[in-house]
Amino acid sequence: MEADRSHLAPPPSVGGSDPAVATEADWDIEAVRAQFPILSREVHGHPLVYLDSAASAQPPLRVLDRIDRYYREQHANVHRGAHQLSAEATEAYENARATIADHIGADSDEVVFTRGTTESINLVAASWGSRFVGADDIVALTKMEHHSNFVPWQLLAERTGARLRFVDVTPEGTLDLEDFDRALEDRPKIVAFMHVSNSLGTINPVSDLTERARAAGAITVVDGAQAAPHMPIDVQGLGPDFYAFSAHKMCGPTGIGALWGRRELLDDMPPYQGGGEMISEVTTAGSSWAAVPHKFEAGTPNIAGAIGFGEAVRFLSELGFDGLAAHEHDLAAYALARLDEVDGLTLYGPREDRTSVFSFTYGDIHPHDLSTILDQNGIAIRAGHHCNQPLMDRFGLSGTARASFYLYSTRAEVDALIEGLRMAARVFGGLS
Ligand code: C6P
């Protein structure tokens, strides 16, 4: 049923652009949902309302089928055997890389398969960082970062003696651009920042930031974990030097992700790990390295994961990011309007230029209590610091409740969340 839209605030933009407002009727939500078997299960006797896609999105049947087919029909190690199965596995693995590269406007040999965003950033910090960062250098990062774009730089600073400079976040939950510019005056060697905030939904102006950083002589490392699921990524237009993302947040399997890097930078970097497959030659006197990307893929890779990742990217591309962004845009506007109706609820993050992830506190109810009550009603949200402790500190919080929506989410699920919040208020009292 199409809800009355007349009460909606001007919709926020999702995906950086301002797509035409879609309705559930434009986006064939039932056809989309039918592709996700898990969405028809129940939790604690209630239909599942899955509002935790920012943590891990659900995979559609065709991704599950592709992984299943790989194991049933094609499983063998890659790049090793001359036999048919190994050739087929290698072809499927490299095709997945090509699909992902094509999707982000890159060449295949610039895409390194990793375990995910975390490993991608650790790879850059350990490899580029250990070769090019010294005790006199500065690494700039923001207080908005997920721990995976924070701790690797702390480790690098500990190893090298480099200094960290933290760019502030405004009270509205956007990056403090004046502080960003002040940080650049210190001529940092590396500037690391996220594309989209996993707690606030903030979309950072990546191309603007990379341009400013480059002009100041820095390389940029962009955490795209929360952007790649929601918008097409064009690494050439965005302009970073490295871009990291994870499959499991974009309908793919866990344990696989990608690091894109500029070819000349990847070429100059030492290996991250040593072992099979990443070498050109090994002798007792020493070893030489395979060309990129294989130099960074030591050991047997996550072949099934990579193939599933490629299938997920194909799935999203065929569904179309325009329709997806318009659907999320509509849902975000609806969710904002409905959350505004709840007295005692405080929402964190901007109202414009955001994705459909909402962090909030509700009166004095502890976020974990809130999530427990919602879970008893089949509603899955996340509670805690979301691996964003410096950001939580910035807002004087220990944690928030967080509901995140995706391509299969519905207005009815927003309504279920609001009803669940009212239920929690009745349990804890004192709130409407
Ligand atoms: N955020 C969340 O619930 P991995 O675990 O390596 O796939 O992704 C880490 C990561 C990096 N950057 C951002 C912006 C992220 O959101 C995440 C994962 C999940 O917010 C789990 S903490």
Side-chain angles (χ1 to χ4, degrees), residues 178-219:
E178 286 177 12
D179 198 38
F180 187 83
D181 282 341
R182 277 195 296 276
L184 294 182
E185 285 168 14
D186 295 340
R187 309 289 293 179
K189 201 92 184 235
I190 299 174
V191 179
F193 58 89
M194 65 202 328
H195 191 163
V196 169
S197 163
N198 59 312
S199 282
L200 305 173
T202 315
I203 301 174
N204 285 322
V206 175
S207 43
D208 180 34
L209 300 179
T210 57
E211 202 179 311
R212 293 187 203 198
R214 181 167 306 105
I219 66 148

Side-chain angles (χ1 to χ4, degrees), residues 86-163:
S86 178
E88 284 183 26
T90 303
E91 191 184 346
Y93 179 74
E94 290 303 332
N95 277 347
R97 192 196 309 276
T99 299
I100 293 156
D102 194 47
H103 176 63
I104 62 170
D107 290 336
S108 274
D109 55 9
E110 295 172 326
V111 172
V112 179
F113 280 123
T114 63
R115 284 193 299 122
T117 307
T118 304
E119 188 173 58
S120 296
I121 296 169
N122 273 281
L123 192 165
V124 179
S127 173
W128 199 92
S130 66
R131 176 156 292 177
F132 297 107
V133 175
D136 296 333
D137 290 322
I138 294 172
V139 176
L141 54 153
T142 87
K143 292 183 184 169
M144 206 184 263
E145 297 316 302
H146 186 279
H147 296 167
S148 67
N149 202 18
F150 210 97
V151 181
W153 306 117
Q154 289 181 318
L155 291 171
L156 177 66
E158 267 175 31
R159 274 199 309 276
T160 60
R163 184 163 70 82

Side-chain angles (χ1 to χ4, degrees), residues 5 30 63 86 112 136 341 350 365 394:
R5 301 172 48 77
E30 286 314 319
V63 169
S86 178
V112 179
D136 296 333
E341 291 168 10
I365 307 176
R394 164 68 183 82

